[in-house]
Amino acid sequence: MRTPFSQSWSSRARLPRFLWALPATALGLVLATVGRLTGGAWYVTSGILEQHGGLLSRLLRKTGTACITFGYVTLGHSIGALEYYRDHERGHTRQYSIWGVFFFPAY
């Protein structure tokens, strides 16, 4: 019997999937750190680092982007945007865990 993706996502193959997405997560961590150091805030929700505020919020607003995900890091222009788009962005985290760095050109 096949297990649903959501079950395998939350239990068995977590570490290999996290490592596969690590290059994208590393980029997200650098960007989140810039946001944090320029006045933003960050926190972890369901194993994903979420960052809003600071310089990156201003850049996201200028480009018309509400949120963007890099591996296990989601950047948003506001806490409201992060809450509104959380489910959608979690889908991208799952895609990173499957595709790894190949998600960049695939997207």
Side-chain angles (χ1 to χ4, degrees), residues 16-60:
R17 290 178 183 188
F18 178 80
L19 293 174
W20 185 235
L22 190 58
T25 301
L27 174 60
L29 287 172
V30 169
L31 294 171
T33 300
V34 169
R36 175 80 169 125
L37 293 175
T38 57
W42 60 16
Y43 47 88
V44 176
T45 303
S46 302
I48 310 296
L49 178 70
E50 295 183 340
Q51 192 278 327
H52 65 89
L55 176 64
L56 290 177
S57 283
R58 292 188 290 276
L59 291 174
L60 289 173

Side-chain angles (χ1 to χ4, degrees), residues 1-105:
M1 185 173 135
R2 258 178 96 156
T3 59
F5 181 73
S6 61
Q7 284 182 351
S8 64
W9 171 253
S10 63
S11 57
R12 285 187 263 131
R14 210 174 215 174
L15 182 61
R17 290 178 183 188
F18 178 80
L19 293 174
W20 185 235
L22 190 58
T25 301
L27 174 60
L29 287 172
V30 169
L31 294 171
T33 300
V34 169
R36 175 80 169 125
L37 293 175
T38 57
W42 60 16
Y43 47 88
V44 176
T45 303
S46 302
I48 310 296
L49 178 70
E50 295 183 340
Q51 192 278 327
H52 65 89
L55 176 64
L56 290 177
S57 283
R58 292 188 290 276
L59 291 174
L60 289 173
R61 285 180 196 272
K62 283 186 180 182
T63 63
T65 304
C67 296
I68 189 166
T69 295
F70 296 97
Y72 285 77
V73 178
T74 300
L75 311 170
H77 70 69
S78 68
I79 193 166
L82 286 168
E83 291 171 353
Y84 185 81
Y85 290 105
R86 185 168 286 137
D87 289 342
H88 174 83
E89 296 303 323
R90 292 302 186 265
H92 291 309
T93 297
R94 286 185 201 87
Q95 290 170 324
Y96 275 110
S97 74
I98 294 168
W99 289 83
V101 295
F102 299 109
F103 182 64
F104 286 122

